[in-house]
Amino acid sequence: MPVSAGPGQHSTPSIACVEAGCFVAWDDQKAGAHVAFFSGVNGEVIWRRDLGPKSLSPSLAVAAGDVAIAWYDGNRLRLARLGHDGVGSSTLLGHASGYQPSPNLIPGGKAGEWVVGWRDFEAGQHEGFVARAECK
């Protein structure tokens, strides 16, 4: 069953599942990044959200029923929690210029903690960054 609202130039999706269903995130080269939640019982799409016209390369991770999403919003790297009702408030984590691969997102050492790795391009060099963030 398709989770996107329609056809487009969609990238490879990221998926994370919890007991009630699964979250899937992708970007469309012409319409920004999107995330959706669908039922684990019948596959019905419960909701879809647009992350913004300049958003791209979303990544999802799950830990003990808690789900987070990291994505680029223009030159900014953002992180937010996902829930059955949608996308929570996002936090600015860092900077990334130019087109970069999707950020890596993994659970941290305690509940609500996430570790994000990403690449930036500055002064003609690629640089790797890592941040630890705690969602409350």
Side-chain angles (χ1 to χ4, degrees):
M1 170 176 283
V3 294
S4 65
Q9 296 177 339
H10 301 151
S11 67
T12 303
S14 179
I15 191 165
C17 296
V18 293
E19 190 173 327
C22 294
F23 298 89
V24 63
W26 68 96
D27 67 51
D28 181 330
Q29 292 177 4
K30 295 184 179 186
H34 309 272
V35 62
F37 179 68
F38 62 95
S39 168
V41 175
N42 60 17
E44 175 187 351
V45 176
I46 307 299
W47 56 258
R48 289 182 191 89
R49 301 289 188 272
D50 179 0
L51 297 174
K54 294 183 180 182
S55 60
L56 47 98
S57 303
S59 294
L60 299 173
V62 64
D66 199 15
V67 181
I69 183 170
W71 74 96
Y72 300 113
D73 183 12
N75 289 348
R76 298 170 299 241
L77 175 65
R78 297 200 168 275
L79 176 71
R81 285 178 117 166
L82 294 176
H84 298 262
D85 297 328
V87 182
S89 298
S90 69
T91 299
L92 177 63
L93 286 184
H95 178 271
S97 58
Y99 181 80
Q100 301 300 334
S102 296
N104 289 314
L105 178 61
I106 62 170
K110 59 184 180 177
E113 186 177 80
W114 303 94
V115 178
V116 185
W118 74 98
R119 188 176 77 179
D120 191 9
F121 185 77
E122 193 167 315
Q125 299 291 326
H126 288 284
E127 297 177 303
F129 292 89
V130 175
R132 184 180 58 170
E134 191 171 338
C135 296
K136 296 188 182 217

